[in-house]
């Protein structure tokens, strides 16, 4: 991204094509060139609009992450029946040896 | 591996190591972290899965109370501050063994913070500061197909089993530990050993490294001796045994020293330990730095353990290993060194149970560190794996104490126990190992010895009473050691010197 | 019997329990209407007539039809998972998927003996206000086929308004029940956050999503609400409290007496100095409805909620952020479609291709925006800041409800239904449709939309907002408006067609 945000003003970095491409990679979206152009324009306008939140005076305001005032919602440690394996694998795009088959992984060894 | 290495002792002449450990412990709960699926190890693939742990659309998590309590108990055992407000967070990244596209973990609001664990190496105590203890969920397991050795590289595709996905996982993160110097590898090992024992004592997990229910990532860095700044650290993953913890640190110290000696720069990277060679190799470096985009998990509400709950859990903690060691050392009147031997031999619990079964602490120690240590050594197994129970060992010591057997016969009785012939008393009976008391049989043996050595008899009668020893030896030989030497001596005195 | 699809749920209950009709007949009447009309409307994504008739036959055989909701047909927005029944959330990426389990609300409706007619169209993953973002084509407004039926629950609104279902379930994240209800002349209620289970509701924005009823009358909506509401141990955010007595409140409100009720008109939502973007006709109908409330004995005053103006930017940060994470599981590995797995591509490429081809443009835009708002270095300025604004909005509600009023009212939608295609390439214009519904979503408080007349021949909705867990107040006020206006607004649609 091009620069650091400055939260105390409505100023914010624009999202250019390169930023969109980076975010799309992070989000596993193989966007096309045409989409990059279109999204850059549209998201720029959206970002202008949503950056209005930075105008709010929120000193000493606690963020709301949950709309319900609940804590400590827990379940007892009791095992309950799992799904039948046939049902588990029935929806899979590919299965082999009772497992989900996935394309080769180019990542770290786990 | 062809990487240049510096001799270990040489490393310490120029560099100071700093270590750090991240330990993952799979909790031994009946059900998973956020759903009711069972957690049985080794179950058929994908038979312990449901919409929640498969990350199917629409499913929602509900946290397991026992897992939360286990985490708090681990925190308490490590002297941590238990947060009064704690939250789960989503750690977003894509990987096939992560069913939801994020791992439910904790980020800036963990359940436990700021604890410590003291470990002892060679009589020296090292304090390992605990930064945090948090609760998260395990991933599924990938099986790589089409490659040479089931490894990821060169594999054609992979197969995923989600039985493990969602099993509660506690992560215990230390702060960097400086100042251990040459002892750094052993401190790392001692830390994991002690941590494992604590968690075992708590009953929170079976902590079996070979099954992956305890896994370690070991961070190592080097700085030039006297430097105020720490060096760049590497994170060694795949460390699956206590020995490997030590080896990983040792290897990284030697390798990093060679890099620094050559004027190079240690790369901040993930490395993998190879159990066979004890060496590490770099993991795939990622194209871009990972951005996990943590944010509070909106599908779970905050955890807010109140004082009453935490106090109740604290009151229910069992005696922890360090306190137990101190108590037993006092009760048994041992020196610190003797206690260390006992602990290092892995015999503490065995001795404790043997004493509980009626043996004296001295006898119990003598057996487990002596005869039984020898046997386990010869057989190449752990003491705990010997086919003898602490109760049976206590029975052996009782048989000796009451004079039913002597030490030699007791060892023969042990042979029988180990061979599966039953408890010591039964073996003594069956094998006829009991000491021979004053009997006709023994009288006959005494008489035969007297008759067979007239010259010795004459010496004894002439005043050389100590010559009687030769006659005792002869009787013991004919009775194959089964007679009680004191009884034999008394009978000889009576019969040679008269009443 | 006359046309069974013209009856309200309450009338169907009476007819069924009186033995004047059967569940099979009622179901068949709706299936026939679906067959006749849905080609033009596009309200349904999936209808299994045989299964519905079989189910209706079972209810008839059991003799329970007319008891509660037994034997009454219902439509579900395709965002609810239904065991063995295709569920797409309006997305190509779930094409062909048959879930192995039921959403809690689907299960409750099943247990209540309802007959599932089918799954209704929606904006993909509930992202939109027009149902044009469905991967399976748009749904049309029964009042004017060239106009949108609202969204994202536009399939449900069109189905119920067009009498292709007696009532239906929708979901509301930023207005997706209320706005489509408003623009099709229906009653639509977004319950208190946490009062209806989200288990099995395919998540768009977890901290905002709520399921709720859409019906032609207030009482019908209340009946559906009671059937789905209440605590669910499978949803950690589910409130363990009794379901508000909404049916009773609807009956009471229909009596038309609101004496002593204090009603606040939100200045920032179409009031003085905040009328830009609002249709004059909408404001007129709403003002008339407020006058009706006054006539029924309510005390009306204007209330200022200064932070409501920031609801839109806050919402369009929070919802996309949560969505970017909620939609990460759609990567073609365990369910749904997979694209490009030809043996040459690695898993990252296959995931990216699957998501590229499986998601539509609005979903991709929001994923990218949300990914940005959560990314390191930007979190505090965007997502974190938006959550603080959320607190400010909540404070505005608290202040209003603590001191001044029992309910707040506003237009539901600033405009009537707009022509299909008018806003598809202008995300901000589309987002503006949610202006009035967003504050209640962000605060988690209940809000209902009740028809209050026509403007330009198209329905207008009045929104009634109440404190958390006081859903009954919404129903009471809505029922009073409905009673004052006479027959349900959709009757006029039927008259027009006749």
């Amino acid at each position: 991204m091009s620069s650091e945000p400055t939260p105390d003003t409505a100023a914010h970095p624009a999202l250019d094509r390169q930023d969109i491409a980076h975010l799309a990679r992070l989000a596993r979206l193989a966007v096309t060139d045409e989409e990059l152009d279109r999204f850059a324009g549209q998201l720029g306008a959206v970002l202008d609009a949503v950056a209005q939140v930075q105008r709010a005076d929120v000193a000493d305001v606690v963020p709301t992450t949950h709309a319900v005032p609940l804590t400590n919602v827990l379940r007892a440690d009791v095992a309950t029946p799992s799904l039948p394996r046939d049902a588990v694998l029935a929806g899979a795009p590919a299965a082999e040896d009772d497992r989900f088959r996935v394309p080769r992984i180019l990542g770290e060894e786990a | 591996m062809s990487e240049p290495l510096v001799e270990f002792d040489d490393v310490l002449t120029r560099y100071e190591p700093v270590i750090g450990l991240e330990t993952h412990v799979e909790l031994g709960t009946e059900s998973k972290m956020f759903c009711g699926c069972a957690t049985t190890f080794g179950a058929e693939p994908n038979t312990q899965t449901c919409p929640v742990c498969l990350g199917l659309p629409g499913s929602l998590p509900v946290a397991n109370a026992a897992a939360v309590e286990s985490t708090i108990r681990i925190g308490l055992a490590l002297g941590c501050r238990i947060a009064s407000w704690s939250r789960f967070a989503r750690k977003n990244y894509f990987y096939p063994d992560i069913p939801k596209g994020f791992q439910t973990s904790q980020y800036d609001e963990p359940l436990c913070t700021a604890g410590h664990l003291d470990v002892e190496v060679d009589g020296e105590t090292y304090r390992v500061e605990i930064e945090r203890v948090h609760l998260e969920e395990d991933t599924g397991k990938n099986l790589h197909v089409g490659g040479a050795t089931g490894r990821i590289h060169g594999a054609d595709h992979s197969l995923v089993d989600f039985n493990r996905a969602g099993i509660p996982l506690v992560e215990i993160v230390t702060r960097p530990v400086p100042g251990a110097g040459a002892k750094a590898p052993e401190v790392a090992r001692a830390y994991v050993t002690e941590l494992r024992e604590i968690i075992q004592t708590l009953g929170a997990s079976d902590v079996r490294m070979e099954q992956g229910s305890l896994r370690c990532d070991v961070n190592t860095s080097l700085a030039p001796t006297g430097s105020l700044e720490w060096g760049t650290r590497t994170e060694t993953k795949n460390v699956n045994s206590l020995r490997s913890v030590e080896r990983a640190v040792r290897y990284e110290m030697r390798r990093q020293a060679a890099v620094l000696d050559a004027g190079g720069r240690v790369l901040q990277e993930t490395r993998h330990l190879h159990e066979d060679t004890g060496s590490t190799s770099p993991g795939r470096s990622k194209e871009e730095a990972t951005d996990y985009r943590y944010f509070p998990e909106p599908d779970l509400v905050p955890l807010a353990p109140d004082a009453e709950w935490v106090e109740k859990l604290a009151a229910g903690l069992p005696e922890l290993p360090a306190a137990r060691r101190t108590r037993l050392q006092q009760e048994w009147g041992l020196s610190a060194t003797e206690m260390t031997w006992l602990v290092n031999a892995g015999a503490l619990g065995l001795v404790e149970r043997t004493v509980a079964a009626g043996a004296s602490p001295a006898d119990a120690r003598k057996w487990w560190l002596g005869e039984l240590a020898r046997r386990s050594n010869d057989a190449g197994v752990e003491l705990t794996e010997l086919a003898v129970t602490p109760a049976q060992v206590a029975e052996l010591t009782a048989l000796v104490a009451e004079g039913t057997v002597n030490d030699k016969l007791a060892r023969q009785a042990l042979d029988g126990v180990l061979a599966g012939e039953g408890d010591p008393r039964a073996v003594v009976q069956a094998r006829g190992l009991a000491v021979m008391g004053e009997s006709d049989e023994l009288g006959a043996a005494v008489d035969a010895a007297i008759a067979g050595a007239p010259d010795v008899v004459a010496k004894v009668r002439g005043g050389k009473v100590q010559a009687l020893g030769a006659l005792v030896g002869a009787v013991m030989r004919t009775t194959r050691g089964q007679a009680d030497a004191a009884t034999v001596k008394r009978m000889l005195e009576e019969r040679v010197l008269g009443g | 019997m006359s046309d069974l699809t013209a009856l309200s749920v309450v009338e169907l209950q009476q007819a069924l329990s009186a033995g004047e009709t059967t569940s099979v007949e009622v179901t068949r009447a709706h299936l026939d209407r679906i067959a006749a009309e849905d080609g033009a409307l596009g309200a349904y994504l999936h209808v299994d007539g045989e299964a519905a008739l079989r189910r209706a036959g079972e209810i008839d055989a059991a003799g329970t039809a007319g008891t509660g909701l037994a034997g009454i047909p219902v439509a579900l927005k395709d965002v609810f998972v239904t065991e063995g029944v295709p569920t797409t959330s309006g997305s190509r990426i779930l094409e062909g998927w048959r879930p192995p389990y039921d959403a809690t609300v689907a299960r409750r409706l099943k247990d209540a003996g309802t007959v599932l007619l089918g799954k209704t169209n929606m904006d993909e993953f509930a992202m939109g206000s027009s149902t044009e973002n469905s991967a399976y084509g748009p749904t049309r407004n029964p009042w004017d086929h060239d106009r949108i039926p609202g969204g994202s629950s536009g399939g449900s609104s069109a189905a119920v308004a067009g009498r292709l279902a007696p009532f239906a379930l929708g979901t509301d994240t930023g207005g997706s029940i209320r706005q489509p209800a408003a623009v099709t002349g229906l009653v639509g209620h977004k319950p208190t956050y946490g009062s209806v289970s989200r288990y099995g509701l395919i998540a768009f924005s977890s901290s905002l999503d709520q399921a709720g009823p859409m019906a032609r009358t207030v009482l019908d909506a209340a009946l559906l609400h009671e059937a789905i509401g209440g605590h669910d141990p499978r949803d950690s955010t589910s409130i363990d409290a009794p379901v508000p007595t909404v049916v009773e409140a609807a009956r009471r409100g229909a009596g038309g007496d609101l004496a002593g009720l204090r009603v606040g008109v939100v200045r920032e939502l179409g009031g003085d100095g905040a009328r830009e973007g609002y249709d004059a006709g909408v404001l007129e109908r709403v003002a008339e409805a407020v006058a009706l409330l006054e006539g029924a004995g309510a005390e009306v005053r204007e209330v200022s909620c200064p932070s409501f103006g920031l609801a839109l930017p806050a919402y369009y940060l929070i919802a996309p952020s949560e969505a970017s994470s909620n939609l990460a599981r759609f990567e073609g590995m365990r369910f749904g479609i997979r694209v490009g797995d030809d043996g040459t591509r690695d898993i990252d490429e296959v995931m990216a291709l699957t998501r590229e081809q499986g998601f539509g443009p609005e979903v991709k835009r929001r994923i990218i925006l949300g990914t940005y708002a959560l990314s390191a270095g930007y979190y505090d300025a965007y997502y974190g800041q938006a959550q603080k604004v959320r607190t400010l909005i909540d404070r505005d509600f608290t202040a209003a409800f603590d001191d001044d009023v029992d309910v707040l009212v506003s237009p539901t939608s600033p405009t009537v239904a707009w022509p299909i295609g008018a806003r598809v390439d202008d995300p901000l214009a589309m987002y503006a449709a949610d202006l009035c519904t967003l504050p209640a979503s962000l605060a988690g408080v209940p809000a209902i939309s009740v028809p209050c007349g026509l403007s330009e021949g198209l329905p207008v909705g009045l929104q009634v907002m109440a404190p958390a867990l006081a859903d009954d107040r919404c129903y009471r006020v809505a029922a009073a408006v409905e009673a004052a206006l006479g027959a349900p607004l959709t009757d006029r649609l039927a008259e027009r067609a006749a």
Side-chain angles (χ1 to χ4, degrees), chain B residues 63-74:
Chain B
N64 183 332
V68 172
E69 294 205 333
S70 281
T71 308
I72 295 174
R73 292 171 78 240
I74 290 170

Side-chain angles (χ1 to χ4, degrees), chain B residues 229-389:
Chain B
E229 274 180 39
W230 293 342
T232 305
R233 68 186 169 87
T234 60
E235 183 178 9
T236 306
K237 292 189 179 276
N238 210 19
V239 185
N240 294 329
S241 69
L242 292 174
R243 179 163 160 263
S244 295
V245 172
E246 190 174 333
R247 294 209 301 176
V249 176
R250 195 175 293 275
Y251 184 87
E252 273 304 289
M253 285 170 66
R254 297 179 61 196
R255 187 190 67 82
Q256 291 181 19
V259 171
L260 295 171
D261 279 357
R265 206 168 53 85
V266 173
L267 297 177
Q268 178 159 357
E269 63 183 355
T270 298
R271 300 186 65 89
H272 299 291
L273 181 76
H274 304 280
E275 292 279 342
D276 45 353
T277 56
S279 61
T280 69
S281 64
R284 267 183 88 84
S285 62
K286 290 196 179 130
E287 227 175 281
E288 301 174 44
T290 316
D291 183 346
Y292 290 121
R293 289 158 285 135
Y294 281 102
F295 73 105
E297 164 60 291
D299 286 330
L300 292 163
V301 301
L303 296 171
D306 58 19
E308 197 188 339
W309 188 14
V310 175
E311 276 161 25
K312 198 179 122 220
L313 291 173
L317 288 185
E319 184 185 33
L320 295 175
R324 170 166 158 254
R325 285 196 299 270
T326 308
R327 175 177 59 78
L328 292 177
Q329 188 186 331
Q330 277 168 3
E331 282 178 12
W332 298 344
L334 301 184
S335 71
T337 316
E338 286 170 324
M339 195 64 191
T340 305
W341 286 347
L342 207 52
V343 170
N344 290 349
L348 186 66
L350 295 167
V351 170
E352 189 184 17
R353 268 170 281 155
T354 306
V355 170
S360 75
D363 283 347
R365 265 177 64 229
K366 191 184 81 179
W367 273 93
W368 284 107
L369 292 185
E371 187 63 22
L372 291 161
R374 227 176 347 266
R375 306 260 186 155
S376 74
N377 228 2
D378 291 349
V381 298
E382 298 290 320
L383 271 181
T384 46
E385 293 169 333
L386 286 176
V388 57
T389 65

Side-chain angles (χ1 to χ4, degrees), chain C residues 1-53:
Chain C
M1 283 306 288
S2 57
D3 182 2
L4 290 166
T5 64
L7 301 185
S8 70
V9 172
V10 175
E11 289 162 344
L12 286 174
Q13 280 179 318
Q14 288 161 353
L16 284 168
S17 53
E20 293 161 17
T21 187
T22 62
S23 179
V24 167
E25 282 176 18
V26 173
T27 303
R28 197 186 307 278
H30 285 94
L31 290 171
D32 288 349
R33 191 161 169 82
I34 291 169
E37 303 286 329
D38 204 39
L41 275 184
Y44 285 90
L45 290 178
H46 175 81
V47 175
D48 186 343
E50 259 178 54
L53 288 170

Side-chain angles (χ1 to χ4, degrees), chain C residues 403-471:
Chain C
D403 301 336
D404 298 326
V405 297
D406 300 308
V407 295
L408 289 170
V409 299
S410 76
T412 304
S413 166
T415 68
V416 293
W418 61 85
I420 286 174
R423 300 186 186 183
V424 276
D425 289 320
D426 186 351
L428 282 176
M430 188 73 86
Y431 299 171
D434 304 333
L435 214 53
C436 302
T437 47
L438 293 173
S441 295
L442 289 165
V445 301
I448 202 165
S449 179
V450 60
C452 62
L454 300 176
S455 168
E456 306 164 43
L458 293 165
V460 175
L462 172 78
Q463 176 177 232
V464 183
M465 298 167 272
L469 293 175
D471 298 58

